[in-house]
């Protein structure tokens, strides 16, 4: 009987009065989702939707992208430049000319008094590539400090370093399409459903069609681990041991691709000798994975026609992050899994344009993956910019994580922070706070004035946010996507490109050089400099990128002339024999002896402290903390704890506790869950005055990336009223 069928009310979607949809690219993570922002007849952004014809996301967006139109007018935006002589004074509002001339005078004073490198710059992975390129030109060609880095040192430096050590260059060799071709996937310290939901959906769809095994290596039962065929709950910090043990089995059982190894690599014999020390029985005692599982995984991976390794912060944020990446590359190389469909070694990048800064910002070298250490590279850029090559340093200066200790030691006196918030993002907050207080001049350039680092600034420069400006991002799979301008910058804020250009005019050298105003003109400079490089984008233009919803590099002038439609770009790198970026074209197999150098739990601090991300938040919550629909899922800092461990300490679900490390303490609400083992707690990294009050941040020797995920803490029950008061005070900052 169909009684009542016609009485149902259809679902009504509120009419937001959208009159136009503007094409752009999501400005949060590195997935690179194509997004359209709907504006009403007053030009106000009121809606967001995924772009169906875009290969990356095929119409979908995650929780962050869906509400991204709300960030333009969100709370805490900077309206106009601010200035003060002393960080204990009130800020006064000033015009841009005064802010930038004061900043330039301070840079000149500090450099004349203490030396060129006494003024440091730390940038981001969030701004557009044209901005990165221009900041690099200003930092390297005008200001001339060698202490210039990006906050990508906190997330992707180990991937960069590992790619360079194995392949001779940075540049992820694979792409998302590899999910559709692989026969086995190992995910190392990567929780795709929460960190990169749309990449997870691409993987999941491919896996459901082709049923290939998913192996997840993670000390925690993450959402991805819950979906794994095999979960390896590894002891924190011992990835290299597991990698060596897998290779031990592969070589002992003759499962390697010897033809590929002979034609494409150097160093096989030394690697073989090292991994002989890591038989599964010995390795199991260190890494906590039983020997049969190690053998099974090694066979499953090596016998697959094509095998894929992906990783994120679980590998990178470690004292041996760079070695972990090299270990993954070793595994891929000995099984011939590079440059073929479904066979790759793919770092899943964090920030929306961490790739853009790696390619074009000159942070660790010069544009287009050029090196300061290479004379020809220095000469080429000097000629192109009109700078004396002797002005460039002959090797890279300090990384971000070395800049802060240098401030502490009095070697650096001025700091310009561009789109980064070290008071929340750096390990050991108490130390960072004292460090920032020592600066003679601190400039914070950010779209928000209420970031936790602003109280330590002498100058605040309000930057236009995301789609208030125009330019490109590069995503995880080397796809260059365009962000079109949706609206004018908020109040008196300015695009980063405008700020860099205007600051350049404050210097005699800057006035002699060419600093184009238009993003498309800057892109033309980058195209010219890219010709013949691995990162060749000479066939691209802003319009071509939009038409095709992104184009992967390399995409050369020659490819454009062939008029392939749609432009294919470089789906994969190193597809031909011996085309790696070392002089003989061969990749390096590098032996990795294991060094146990982390802080570990002991009697006084008996728990491993693990940290990571939540799907609803991005980085230091500068944006998502202001968006109601994101923030409401986790407005309060919390800690995952195993119920058995909690019972031992008489700790209840949803009670407040004090987590204590050798550095400091943090008040968090307890969430009881079996996701963490009995000897581990997990705290999300997004909250101010929280997990980074506890972290130690020992550095990887190659990448200088901090170990955010391996520290030791104890947990103490506390007075609940006092804890609730402290917690509320933290949230109101
Ligand atoms: Fe944006 Fe990343 Fe979400 Fe895509 S997956 S909508 S790029 S935050």
């Amino acid at each position: 009987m169909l009684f009542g069928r016609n009485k149902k009310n259809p679902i009504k979607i509120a009419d937001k009065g959208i009159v136009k949809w503007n094409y752009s690219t999501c400005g949060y993570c590195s997935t690179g989702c194509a997004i359209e922002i709907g504006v009403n007849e007053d030009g106000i952004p009121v809606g967001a939707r995924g772009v169906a014809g875009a290969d990356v996301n095929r119409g979908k967006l995650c929780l962050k992208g869906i509400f991204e139109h709300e960030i333009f007018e969100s709370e805490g935006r900077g309206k106009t430049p601010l200035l003060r002589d002393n960080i204990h004074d009130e800020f006064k509002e000033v015009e841009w000319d005064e802010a930038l001339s004061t900043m330039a005078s301070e840079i000149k004073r500090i450099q004349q008094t203490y030396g060129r490198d006494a003024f440091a710059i730390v940038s981001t992975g969030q701004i557009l590539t044209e901005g990165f390129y221009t900041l690099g030109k200003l930092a390297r060609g005008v200001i001339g400090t060698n202490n210039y880095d990006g906050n990508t040192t906190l997330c992707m430096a180990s991937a960069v370093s590992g790619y360079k050590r194995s392949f001779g260059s940075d540049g992820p060799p694979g792409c998302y399409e590899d999910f559709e071709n692989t026969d086995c996937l190992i995910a190392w310290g990567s929780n795709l459903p929460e960190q990169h939901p749309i990449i997870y959906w691409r993987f999941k769809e491919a896996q459901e069609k082709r049923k290939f095994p998913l192996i997840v290596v993670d000390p925690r039962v993450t959402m991805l681990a819950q979906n794994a065929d095999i979960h390896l709950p590894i002891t924190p910090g011992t990835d290299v041991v597991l990698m060596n043990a897998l290779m031990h089995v592969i070589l002992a059982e003759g499962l390697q691709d010897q033809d590929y190894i002979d034609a494409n690599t150097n160093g096989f014999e030394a690697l073989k000798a090292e991994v002989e020390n890591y038989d599964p029985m010995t390795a199991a005692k260190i890494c906590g994975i039983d020997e049969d599982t190690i053998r099974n995984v090694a066979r499953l991976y090596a016998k697959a026609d094509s095998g894929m390794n992906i990783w994120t912060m679980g590998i990178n944020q470690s004292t041996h992050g760079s070695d972990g990446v090299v270990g993954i590359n070793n595994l891929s190389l000995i099984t011939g899994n590079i440059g073929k469909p479904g066979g790759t070694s793919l770092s899943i990048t964090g920030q929306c344009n961490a790739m853009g800064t790696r390619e074009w910002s000159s942070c660790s070298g010069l544009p287009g993956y050029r090196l300061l250490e290479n004379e020809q590279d220095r000469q080429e850029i000097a000629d192109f910019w009109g700078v004396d090559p002797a002005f460039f340093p002959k090797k890279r200066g300090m990384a971000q994580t070395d800049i802060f200790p240098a401030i502490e030691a009095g070697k650096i006196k001025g700091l310009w922070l561009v789109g980064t918030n070290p008071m929340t993002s750096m390990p050991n907050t108490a130390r960072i706070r004292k460090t920032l207080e020592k600066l003679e001049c601190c400039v914070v350039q950010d779209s928000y004035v209420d970031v936790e680092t602003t109280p330590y600034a002498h100058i605040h420069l309000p930057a236009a946010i995301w789609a208030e400006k125009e330019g490109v991002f590069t995503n995880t799979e080397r796809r260059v996507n365009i962000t079109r301008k949706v609206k004018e910058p908020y109040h008196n804020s300015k695009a980063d490109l405008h700020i860099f250009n205007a600051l350049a005019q404050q210097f005699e050298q800057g006035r002699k050089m060419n600093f184009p105003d238009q993003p498309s003109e800057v892109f033309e400079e980058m195209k010219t400099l890219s010709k013949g490089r691995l990162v060749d984008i000479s066939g691209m233009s802003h319009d071509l990128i939009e038409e095709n919803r992104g184009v992967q590099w390399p995409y050369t002038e020659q490819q454009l002339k062939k008029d392939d439609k749609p432009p294919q770009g470089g789906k994969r790198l190193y597809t031909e024999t011996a085309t790696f970026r070392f002089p003989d074209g061969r990749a390096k197999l590098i032996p990795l002896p294991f060094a146990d150098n982390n802080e570990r739990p002991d009697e006084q601090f008996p728990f491993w402290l693990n940290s990571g991300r939540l799907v609803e938040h991005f980085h230091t919550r500068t944006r998502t903390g202001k968006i109601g629909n994101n923030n409401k899922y986790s407005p309060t800092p919390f800690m995952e704890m195993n119920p058995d461990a909690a019972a031992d300490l008489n700790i209840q679900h949803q009670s407040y506790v004090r987590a204590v490390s050798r550095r400091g303490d943090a008040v968090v609400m307890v969430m009881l869950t079996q996701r963490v083992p009995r000897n581990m707690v997990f705290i999300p990294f997004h909250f101010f005055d929280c997990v980074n009050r506890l972290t130690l941040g020992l550095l990887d020797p190659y990448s200088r990336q901090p170990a955010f995920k391996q520290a030791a803490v104890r947990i103490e029950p506390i007075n609940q009223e006092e804890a609730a008061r402290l917690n509320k005070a933290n949230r109101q900052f």
Side-chain angles (χ1 to χ4, degrees):
M1 182 163 169
L2 298 174
F3 179 73
R5 183 174 167 181
N6 295 331
K7 291 189 175 174
K8 278 188 180 168
N9 288 327
I11 294 168
K12 286 188 186 143
I13 296 175
D15 181 2
K16 295 178 174 173
I18 292 172
V19 295
K20 190 176 172 218
W21 288 96
N22 297 281
Y23 183 84
S24 224
T25 302
C26 177
Y28 283 114
C29 87
S30 72
T31 304
C33 294
I35 189 171
E36 284 181 331
I37 303 298
V39 294
N40 67 16
E41 59 186 3
D42 297 323
I44 296 171
V46 289
R49 67 183 185 190
V51 178
D55 185 57
V56 167
N57 53 319
R58 302 172 187 176
K60 294 184 168 48
L61 293 173
C62 81
L63 188 63
K64 291 185 278 289
I66 287 169
F67 299 109
E68 204 162 5
H69 59 283
E70 294 185 19
I71 67 169
F72 295 103
E73 299 285 331
S74 58
E75 196 187 324
R77 294 280 319 264
K79 292 182 176 170
T80 200
L82 303 174
L83 200 59
R84 60 184 172 186
D85 292 332
N86 188 298
I87 58 168
H88 303 295
D89 296 342
E90 289 294 307
F91 275 120
K92 64 171 182 174
E93 293 187 353
V94 294
E95 285 305 319
W96 278 96
D97 279 351
E98 186 178 349
L100 293 176
S101 66
T102 306
M103 180 177 171
S105 305
E106 279 297 279
I107 295 172
K108 289 173 196 168
R109 178 188 68 77
I110 286 170
Q111 291 190 314
Q112 277 157 16
T113 314
Y114 306 106
R116 247 167 57 179
D117 293 340
F119 188 85
I121 304 170
V122 176
S123 142
T124 177
Q126 296 290 318
I127 65 174
L128 295 155
T129 309
E130 291 80 352
F132 278 133
Y133 170 77
T134 305
L135 175 61
K137 194 194 273 190
L138 175 64
R140 295 273 178 223
V142 178
I143 296 174
T145 176
N146 197 17
N147 293 326
Y148 162 47
D149 194 26
N151 67 9
T152 40
T153 291
L154 306 186
C155 56
M156 295 314 297
S158 294
V160 173
S161 155
Y163 277 142
K164 284 182 178 170
R165 288 167 69 200
S166 296
F167 303 149
S169 173
D170 184 20
C175 58
Y176 303 155
E177 196 193 83
D178 286 321
F179 292 128
E180 284 143 34
N181 295 282
T182 197
D183 297 301
C184 180
L185 177 73
I186 309 184
W188 301 83
S190 177
N191 183 17
L192 284 181
E194 291 207 70
Q195 296 162 347
H196 300 90
I198 301 299
I199 300 182
Y200 173 69
W201 165 72
R202 288 283 302 263
F203 148 76
K204 191 71 187 158
E205 195 175 65
Q207 195 204 29
E208 279 173 4
K209 280 186 195 150
R210 299 183 43 258
K211 314 280 183 225
F212 55 85
L214 167 66
I215 298 151
V216 173
V217 184
D218 205 302
R220 181 169 161 253
V221 190
T222 60
M223 279 191 201
L224 191 65
Q226 286 169 19
N227 284 287
D229 296 282
I230 304 176
H231 173 214
L232 310 185
I234 193 168
T235 302
T238 62
D239 317 276
V240 167
V241 175
L242 177 60
M243 291 164 194
N244 283 345
L246 293 173
M247 285 187 277
H248 176 102
V249 176
I250 291 169
L251 298 182
E253 299 187 7
L255 300 176
Q256 74 272 26
D257 184 340
Q258 198 62 49
D259 289 345
Y260 184 89
I261 294 168
D262 293 344
N264 289 282
T265 68
N266 289 319
F268 177 65
E269 290 306 325
L271 178 72
K272 191 174 168 194
E274 181 62 35
V275 302
E276 266 171 22
N277 302 323
Y278 295 81
D279 64 275
M281 193 190 288
T282 307
K285 289 179 190 139
I286 306 170
C287 70
I289 307 300
D290 69 273
E291 54 181 306
D292 283 347
T293 304
I294 293 174
R295 287 200 181 88
N296 282 342
V297 169
R299 290 170 191 148
L300 204 55
Y301 171 73
K303 287 181 181 178
D305 285 343
S306 59
M308 186 168 176
N309 285 291
I310 62 168
W311 75 92
T312 317
M313 298 310 148
I315 292 292
N316 291 343
Q317 290 179 336
S318 160
T319 47
H320 53 268
S322 176
D323 276 359
V325 175
V326 168
I328 288 172
N329 294 339
N330 284 343
L331 257 178
S332 301
L333 287 164
I334 67 164
T335 51
N337 277 310
I338 292 289
K340 73 178 187 189
T344 196
S345 182
L346 183 66
S347 65
I348 308 288
T349 312
Q351 304 181 67
C352 59
N353 206 17
M355 283 290 293
T357 186
R358 284 151 69 170
E359 295 154 10
W360 291 104
S361 74
S362 307
C363 272
S364 60
L366 290 166
Y369 288 151
R370 286 176 176 84
L371 302 174
L372 285 162
E373 293 78 2
N374 181 310
E375 201 177 323
Q376 190 186 336
D377 288 352
R378 282 206 316 277
Q379 187 70 52
E380 275 174 17
I381 297 299
D383 291 347
F384 193 80
W385 286 349
V387 177
D388 181 348
F391 191 67
F392 295 146
K394 293 204 167 127
K395 62 176 190 180
R396 130 170 230 194
M398 291 181 200
Q400 176 187 3
T401 42
D402 293 311
I403 285 173
F404 284 87
I407 296 169
E408 219 172 21
K411 287 186 189 155
I412 290 176
K413 302 286 187 181
L415 178 65
W416 179 14
L417 297 164
V418 181
T420 191
N421 185 17
M423 273 300 293
T424 301
S425 61
M426 285 285 285
N428 200 344
T429 312
R431 191 170 168 192
I432 296 300
R433 192 189 309 269
K434 283 191 201 132
T435 302
L436 289 170
E437 281 172 350
K438 291 191 77 167
L439 287 164
E440 291 183 13
C441 175
C442 176
V443 183
V444 170
Q445 176 173 328
D446 203 289
S447 303
Y448 290 86
V449 70
D450 64 353
V451 287
E452 291 86 2
T453 309
T454 303
Y456 305 89
H458 300 85
I459 302 172
H460 184 273
L461 303 177
I465 208 166
W466 177 48
E468 289 173 347
K469 54 202 176 183
E470 187 151 313
V472 299
F473 292 145
T474 309
N475 79 350
T476 283
E477 56 169 358
R478 289 170 286 101
R479 186 179 298 271
V480 182
N481 290 312
I482 188 148
T483 293
R484 293 290 192 192
K485 185 171 170 177
V486 170
K487 67 178 281 294
E488 289 302 315
Y490 183 77
H491 290 257
N492 192 20
S493 61
K494 300 281 181 200
D496 308 290
L497 180 61
H498 174 94
I499 298 170
F500 303 145
N501 284 346
L503 185 65
Q505 299 313 307
Q506 299 282 339
F507 295 82
E508 194 185 336
Q509 169 72 2
R511 291 190 287 275
K512 286 188 208 153
M513 290 164 62
N514 183 29
F515 278 87
D517 280 341
Q518 293 306 313
S520 56
E521 291 173 65
V522 180
F523 193 73
E524 288 303 313
E525 279 198 18
M526 290 157 44
K527 281 167 63 174
T528 306
L529 285 173
S530 79
K531 283 180 195 170
R533 312 286 307 175
L534 181 67
V535 58
D536 194 325
I537 54 169
S538 59
M540 299 185 195
S541 66
H542 280 184
D543 288 344
L544 186 90
I545 293 167
E546 178 174 345
E547 252 167 58
N548 295 284
R549 285 31 184 144
V551 180
Q552 285 171 278
W553 66 251
Y555 185 68
T556 64
E557 275 179 325
Q558 292 73 22
Q559 284 168 286
L560 177 68
K561 281 180 194 146
K562 276 200 249 153
D563 197 25
D564 47 353
K565 281 186 183 162
Q568 288 305 304
K571 277 191 183 167
R572 296 176 186 86
L573 303 180
Y574 317 125
T575 53
E576 307 291 325
T577 303
T579 49
F580 293 96
R581 304 300 286 185
F582 289 112
D584 64 359
R586 287 166 171 267
K588 285 186 182 165
L589 291 168
I590 302 172
L592 301 169
F594 174 63
D596 190 0
N597 54 7
N598 283 304
E599 183 180 58
R600 297 177 67 88
D602 57 17
E603 224 170 276
Q604 217 187 340
F605 300 96
F607 291 93
W608 281 107
L609 171 65
N610 191 354
S611 70
R613 306 177 200 199
L614 304 170
V615 66
E616 61 271 18
H617 281 307
F618 192 76
H619 281 204
T620 63
R621 293 167 70 247
T622 308
R623 284 171 285 176
T624 51
K626 317 284 172 45
I627 309 288
N629 280 313
N630 292 113
N631 199 37
K632 71 182 178 191
Y633 290 103
S634 52
T636 300
F638 67 88
M639 179 185 80
E640 292 181 355
M641 187 175 199
N642 184 284
D644 295 333
D648 290 346
L649 296 171
N650 200 19
I651 288 170
Q652 314 300 319
H653 184 57
Q654 292 189 343
S655 63
Y656 287 105
V657 292
R658 180 168 170 252
V660 189
S661 77
R662 290 182 177 83
R663 274 70 59 193
D665 61 354
V667 173
V668 283
M669 182 183 277
V670 171
M671 182 195 280
L672 294 185
T673 171
Q674 299 284 355
R675 285 177 117 192
V676 284
R678 198 171 178 151
N679 65 344
M680 179 182 290
V681 294
F682 170 88
I683 302 178
F685 90 108
H686 307 286
F687 296 93
F688 171 60
D689 252 351
C690 190
V691 74
N692 280 332
R693 289 170 65 100
L694 309 169
T695 45
L696 169 56
L698 290 172
L699 300 181
D700 177 277
Y702 295 94
S703 66
R704 313 304 289 158
Q705 182 157 351
F708 282 105
K709 290 174 181 284
Q710 297 105 32
V713 290
R714 69 169 178 264
I715 307 300
E716 297 174 353
I718 49 170
N719 176 309
Q720 296 300 292
E721 281 92 50
E722 174 64 3
R725 190 191 63 73
L726 274 173
N727 196 279
K728 198 168 168 213
N730 276 349
R731 275 184 288 143
Q732 280 175 346
F733 177 85

